[in-house]
């Protein structure tokens, strides 16, 4: 196979082997409980689907749209930030609609990165946080994913001793895969550090509305002066169960938003207009579905932790996100996360995501997605109990 510059920098996708085994098992008629991919199983709100149908019936809805997003959707996202975080956002200069946050992240990395630049990315983390910059020609230096004292210790060392000096830092809380959360005090300290160091921040807030404590998830843009150095990505995938609709947003620093818009103007014409109109209906309409999804994931979390615990696998209780980050049981630790995941598929009928797929510091863990109903989660626990003995 011909090797190209960018594909040479991309290792084989770790999850592909688990996905292949899952497909083969299902082709044989086996019942696999899929806790591997973070793929919501719910429906978007009825009024959102109705808006999609309504606008799709228009004779003018099927033309090219706008790569930056239609004005009404950018205004709706600005309204969300005002209501939810108390942050004033200019819909014309500080919002860009993206084809899901994953696409937006990769295109922003292309827009702001020169070959040889260094990006600081959390390890373990969602793969696009690393590979968006690798595809853009940058080098990666890892920092801890957990937002504690070690985070700032390693961040300071990275800025002091990395050559060339890092230009951008990626963060994401609630995090995928670890479910770590950060408070506003963390963001305040981080913004102060970044401003002094001349560091740009990209925040991934895809799981903003899936939190289980009393305190809502904060945004880095709540910090005074954060928009001078930061862009934040959000997504409608999990909040409104609209993953397949591919609808996300970049919000924040006007210069970076402008760079993203310019790159996107060459690469796409934006999402299908009826989808954007339906997204407006989601953001501006009744929000009871958001709380309902939050409670759904909370209940599934509780069932998973309880049933897996009774099966002999102690899973730490995630404070947010739609994932649990579970250490491999001690008797299987030597297998590594990929082989352990393959074994669970074959022996327990359960698909999970191997931690090594999120970075080398993910080894020794697997990610469990809360995307099956409670009955199926208990079924998974029964299969796991047979394996654990």
């Amino acid at each position: 196979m011909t090797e190209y510059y960018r594909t040479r920098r991309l290792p084989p996708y770790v999850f592909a082997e688990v996905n292949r085994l899952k497909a083969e098992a299902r082709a044989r008629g086996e019942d696999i409980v899929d806790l591997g991919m973070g793929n919501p199983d719910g429906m978007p709100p009825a009024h959102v689907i109705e808006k999609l149908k309504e606008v799709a019936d228009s004779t003018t809805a099927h033309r090219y749209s706008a790569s930056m997003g239609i004005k009404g959707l950018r205004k709706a996202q600005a309204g969300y930030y005002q209501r939810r975080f108390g942050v004033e956002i200019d819909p014309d200069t500080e919002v860009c609609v993206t084809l899901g946050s994953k696409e937006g992240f990769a295109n922003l990395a292309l827009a702001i990165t020169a070959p040889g630049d260094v990006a600081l990315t959390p390890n373990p983390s969602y793969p696009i946080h690393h590979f968006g910059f690798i595809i853009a020609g940058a080098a990666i230096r890892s920092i801890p994913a957990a937002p504690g004292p070690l985070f700032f210790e390693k961040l300071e060392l990275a800025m002091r001793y990395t050559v060339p000096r890092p230009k951008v830092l990626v963060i994401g809380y609630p995090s995928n895969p670890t479910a770590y959360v950060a408070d506003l005090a963390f963001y305040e300290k981080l913004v102060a550090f970044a401003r002094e160091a001349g560091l740009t921040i990209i925040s991934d807030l895809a799981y903003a509305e899936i939190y289980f404590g009393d305190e809502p998830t904060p945004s880095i843009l709540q910090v005074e002066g954060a928009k001078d150095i930061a862009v934040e990505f959000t997504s409608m995938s999990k909040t409104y169960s609209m993953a397949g609709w591919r609808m996300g947003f970049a919000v924040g620093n006007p210069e970076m938003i402008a760079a993203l818009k310019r790159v996107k103007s060459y690469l796409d014409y934006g999402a299908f207009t009826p989808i954007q109109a339906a997204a407006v209906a989601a953001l501006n309409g009744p929000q009871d579905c958001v709380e309902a999804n939050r409670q759904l994931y909370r209940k599934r979390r509780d069932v998973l932790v309880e049933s897996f615990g009774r099966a002999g696998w102690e899973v730490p209780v995630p404070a947010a996100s739609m994932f649990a980050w579970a250490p491999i049981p001690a008797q299987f630790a030597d297998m590594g996360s990929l082989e352990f995941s393959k074994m669970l598929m074959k022996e327990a009928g359960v698909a999970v995501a191997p931690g090594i797929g999120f970075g080398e510091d993910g080894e020794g863990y697997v990610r469990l997605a809360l995307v099956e109903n409670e009955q199926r989660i208990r079924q998974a626990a029964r299969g796991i109990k047979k394996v654990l003995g």
Side-chain angles (χ1 to χ4, degrees):
M1 179 180 175
T2 303
E3 287 196 359
Y4 301 102
Y5 167 70
R6 284 184 171 79
T7 56
R8 281 203 309 268
R9 304 192 76 203
L10 299 175
Y13 203 50
V14 171
F15 308 114
E17 189 165 1
V18 175
N19 290 337
R20 177 183 60 80
L21 290 173
K22 178 175 62 180
E24 290 175 355
R26 286 178 167 169
R28 294 191 299 267
E30 298 175 23
D31 183 16
I32 303 297
V33 181
D34 192 357
L35 306 179
M37 187 176 181
N39 197 6
D41 61 331
M43 286 279 288
H47 68 277
V48 174
I49 296 174
E50 286 304 313
K51 177 59 71 171
L52 174 73
K53 294 176 181 177
E54 174 193 326
V55 179
D57 266 339
S58 169
T59 58
T60 62
H62 304 274
R63 300 173 177 177
Y64 292 126
S65 191
S67 63
M68 72 176 70
I70 61 175
K71 179 68 174 283
L73 183 51
R74 286 182 280 117
K75 288 179 66 175
Q77 178 68 351
Y80 165 74
Y81 262 81
Q82 176 60 57
R83 293 191 309 272
R84 177 66 165 78
F85 303 112
V87 176
E88 292 282 350
I89 298 293
D90 185 329
D92 293 323
T93 63
E94 296 176 340
V95 180
C96 182
V97 179
T98 62
L99 304 176
S101 58
K102 186 176 183 179
E103 171 271 326
F105 188 99
N107 279 333
L108 181 61
L110 282 172
I112 68 174
T113 303
D117 282 353
V118 176
L120 304 174
T121 61
N123 192 343
S125 191
Y126 188 48
I128 198 64
H129 293 164
H130 313 297
F131 291 105
F133 284 97
I134 289 173
I135 291 169
I140 297 298
R141 177 161 179 167
S142 293
I143 57 169
L150 184 62
F151 177 96
F152 286 101
E153 178 184 324
K154 294 294 186 181
L155 180 58
E156 187 168 347
L157 288 173
M159 294 304 297
R160 185 180 302 171
Y161 295 112
T162 303
V163 178
R165 189 174 173 86
K167 291 186 174 181
V168 61
L169 165 69
V170 178
I171 57 169
Y173 304 106
S175 65
N176 176 8
T178 60
Y180 295 141
V181 295
D183 59 17
L184 195 57
F186 169 83
Y187 287 131
E188 289 170 345
K189 185 175 181 180
L190 184 60
V191 168
F193 180 96
R195 288 171 67 91
E196 184 174 341
L199 193 61
T200 292
I201 298 174
I202 302 177
S203 169
D204 186 345
L205 195 62
Y207 300 92
E209 302 304 338
I210 307 178
Y211 57 88
F212 307 127
D214 295 331
E215 288 295 320
T217 304
S219 161
I220 192 172
L221 299 182
Q222 291 175 247
V223 179
E224 185 176 355
K227 279 195 288 184
D228 294 341
I229 58 163
V231 162
E232 187 161 71
F233 283 94
T234 57
S235 169
M236 304 193 75
S237 295
K238 312 309 190 296
T239 305
Y240 298 98
S241 299
M242 295 170 65
W245 299 48
R246 307 314 303 134
M247 186 54 56
F249 304 92
V251 173
N253 178 263
E255 287 76 21
M256 286 193 283
I257 294 295
L260 173 59
K261 288 178 179 178
R262 181 176 293 188
V263 166
K264 280 177 61 64
S265 72
Y266 282 91
L267 296 177
D268 69 70
Y269 287 107
F272 185 38
T273 299
I275 290 179
Q276 295 194 56
V280 174
L283 287 168
N284 290 344
Q287 299 299 300
D288 52 317
C289 60
V290 178
E291 176 63 23
N293 275 342
R294 188 180 302 127
Q295 295 305 322
L296 174 73
Y297 288 120
R298 181 202 296 268
K299 182 62 175 175
R300 290 179 177 181
R301 176 202 68 171
D302 294 345
V303 168
L304 185 145
V305 170
E306 182 268 334
S307 62
F308 279 41
R310 285 193 293 105
W313 190 358
E314 296 298 324
V315 176
V317 182
S321 84
M322 60 187 297
F323 304 111
W325 185 237
I328 297 173
Q331 62 267 46
F332 299 105
D334 291 343
M335 293 181 69
S337 60
L338 180 56
E339 292 304 314
F340 177 70
S341 299
K342 290 159 65 176
M343 185 270 290
L344 280 187
M345 179 90 66
K346 295 175 182 176
E347 304 295 332
V350 179
V352 301
I356 190 63
F358 302 97
E360 62 271 20
D361 289 349
E363 186 55 277
Y365 292 81
V366 296
R367 191 193 70 179
L368 309 169
L370 305 174
V371 294
E372 295 266 19
N373 64 39
E374 296 167 30
Q375 179 181 347
R376 298 278 287 169
I377 291 171
R378 294 188 188 279
Q379 177 183 330
R382 290 193 294 271
I384 286 166
K385 186 174 184 178
K386 294 177 184 177
V387 171
L388 297 184

